Amino acid sequence: MRRARLLSITADRLFDHLMSHPELTPDQIDDLARKWFAEALRDEEDFRLSAQSGKALYVWPRAGEDPVDADLELLSELEADYREAIACNQFSKVARDVECLLGEAGRSAEPGSDVYKRLCLALLRANIELFRISKARRVGDYSLEPIDPLFRRQSASVSSMMPEPGDQRAKSLPLGDVLEAYEVAQVRDGKWQPTTRRNAIGKLRLFVETLDGKPIDTVTRDDIRGWREVLEEGERSNNTIRHHFKVVAALFNWAKQEGKATIDNPTVGLMPPADAPKRDAFSADELRRLFHSPLYTGHWRADRRERPGSVLVKDYKYWFPLISLHTGMRVEEIAKLRVADVRMEDGVWCFDILKSKTKAGERLVPIHPRLIDLGFLEHVKAIKHERLWPELKPNSEGSHSHRFAVWFPGYLRMIGLEREGVVFHSFRHTFVSRLEEAGVDTARIGRIVGHKINGITAGTYGGKLFTPSKRLECFKDLDFGVDLTHLMGR
């Protein structure tokens, strides 16, 4: 235990040391990979100790299959997959871990740069060693040591280092403190009128929350890109996102001018164009890959859903994509649902959308039969709370979907779904596209998904005439291009 604490302390000092250098050297990249490997081994051991005796650790065994054999087969497959990834220079499997390591070290690296590729390669090698050692430990053999030279005798290489003290970036003011000082100064100097203050402060608080209030001098351009993705997932227009950028850019400019920060404005050049963002429907292959990913087939832990395992948590992360694909609902509409909003109307189970982005969005949305077959109503009955997703709290802007919007883009990247224009809103595009292909007219689609419709047609299909049962008839037989039979009964 003492050795583990020592390794953790020296590794943390190593991070401070790394932060004092403008560009990662090959040796520093190797040290980051060694730190990741040491932590992964510890996490693996903690998970092994908490697992249920006599059960498979990482996978659901086939009928009659020995649980140990099932685990060994999965670990061997993973080891082979990561070796193939090295052979093909496919780095998406470790992209999320690379981003986390760089972020913790206060660094950034453009995908495709030598630094980024070197770190990806090192983490692919670390995973191969992790899977190889995990196989040995799964059968009780703790004598196996790393054979990859990068990780051999790791403890000596890490603990013997004499890192220099870190620079002052990590000790700079937290974003929340900078925001407080900025608000006071803007009001004191007469630059913010009440309306300006009201409009700006919510956007700034959202930015601070998204970056977890990190020290201002450690904010990177990758942090800004991640924040931009969160804004896009919230279905904001590009013009609205640009306004968020202008408000945050003003904060950074002020902070440097007033000596609250030393970094240059990290938002420069990252503001989206004024035209509408590109949002595409999912392809059938992309849907298959998503719904056959560990989020739906079994993951390692609730906080590591990109890695295969025997855990299957059916919370908001599990249900949001399924609901949006089968109903076309917006992410915030799903996030705000109460248990009472799932009710029977006209002999059909529906979502009662009481508050939406627009007045037209307030509607009854029939629940697709496949959602019921997947166990959604049982999930609703099991919730002992007014809200359907009680773990989702509103952020400073009142958004209940913020936590999911921060997580989902990263998960798509981790499973290799990185095509431009593919975001959560793509489920809504997919739903609409499939209804159009099925010959459902635009007015009826508009009523189902909550689009504003003008003219006589809207009146014909509006109100009580277009009942929930008639709405359900429009899409109840659609499978949206993806087979989900593997999720039934799980």
Side-chain angles (χ1 to χ4, degrees), residues 114-362:
D114 287 345
V115 168
Y116 184 87
K117 288 189 287 187
R118 281 180 179 272
L119 188 51
C120 284
L121 177 59
L123 288 199
L124 286 172
R125 292 166 63 183
N127 273 279
I128 290 171
E129 284 295 337
L130 177 65
F131 298 139
R132 197 179 64 84
I133 292 174
S134 296
K135 283 193 295 182
R137 293 183 178 183
R138 187 67 181 94
V139 294
D141 181 5
Y142 275 73
S143 65
L144 198 65
E145 294 289 337
I147 59 175
D148 189 317
L150 178 58
F151 307 105
R152 196 180 301 149
R153 291 189 298 179
Q154 164 177 311
S155 58
S157 65
V158 175
S159 60
S160 64
M161 291 190 63
M162 298 294 291
E164 301 171 8
D167 67 2
Q168 297 301 306
R169 287 190 295 172
K171 299 177 182 179
S172 60
L173 284 174
L175 282 170
D177 292 351
V178 177
L179 173 55
E180 288 183 11
Y182 180 57
E183 182 180 6
V184 170
Q186 295 301 94
V187 173
R188 181 193 61 217
D189 296 343
K191 295 183 178 180
W192 273 5
Q193 299 303 316
T195 301
T196 308
R197 180 182 185 182
R198 186 167 55 250
N199 290 337
I201 201 66
K203 296 176 175 62
L204 291 169
R205 286 175 180 165
L206 175 63
F207 175 75
V208 172
E209 290 171 6
T210 303
L211 272 65
D212 291 328
K214 66 187 302 184
I216 189 168
D217 280 345
T218 67
V219 176
T220 67
R221 291 173 66 78
D222 280 345
D223 289 327
I224 301 302
R225 292 185 180 97
W227 164 64
R228 185 181 62 194
E229 286 182 344
V230 170
L231 296 177
E232 291 170 349
E233 287 291 354
E235 301 181 15
R236 297 169 176 85
S237 69
N238 264 26
N239 286 336
T240 298
I241 294 175
R242 286 172 63 85
H243 190 51
H244 279 258
F245 262 81
K246 292 174 183 177
V247 170
V248 170
L251 170 68
F252 278 101
N253 290 336
W254 174 88
K256 185 166 187 180
Q257 182 178 354
E258 296 292 325
K260 309 292 185 184
T262 61
I263 61 170
D264 293 328
N265 187 343
T267 69
V268 173
L270 297 179
M271 183 186 296
D275 56 327
K278 176 180 171 62
R279 290 171 176 171
D280 289 340
F282 283 100
S283 68
D285 180 64
E286 286 168 336
L287 290 175
R288 182 193 62 78
R289 289 163 62 190
L290 172 61
F291 292 115
H292 282 79
S293 72
L295 175 61
Y296 291 97
T297 60
H299 34 269
W300 183 30
R301 300 185 316 213
D303 63 335
R304 292 301 301 270
R305 302 200 194 190
E306 80 286 357
R307 179 179 291 185
S310 60
V311 176
L312 188 62
V313 179
K314 294 187 177 182
D315 59 0
Y316 65 97
K317 294 177 181 177
Y318 179 95
W319 285 111
F320 277 26
L322 287 168
I323 292 173
S324 187
L325 175 66
H326 290 85
T327 64
M329 288 170 61
R330 302 176 176 95
V331 64
E332 185 65 12
E333 291 173 344
I334 302 171
K336 283 187 175 179
L337 285 171
R338 304 169 303 158
V339 171
D341 296 332
V342 181
R343 64 182 183 85
M344 183 80 75
E345 180 74 21
D346 189 31
V348 173
W349 281 102
C350 296
F351 293 110
D352 191 353
I353 310 300
L354 300 175
K355 292 184 179 181
S356 185
K357 187 176 180 180
T358 64
K359 184 66 176 177
E362 297 173 4

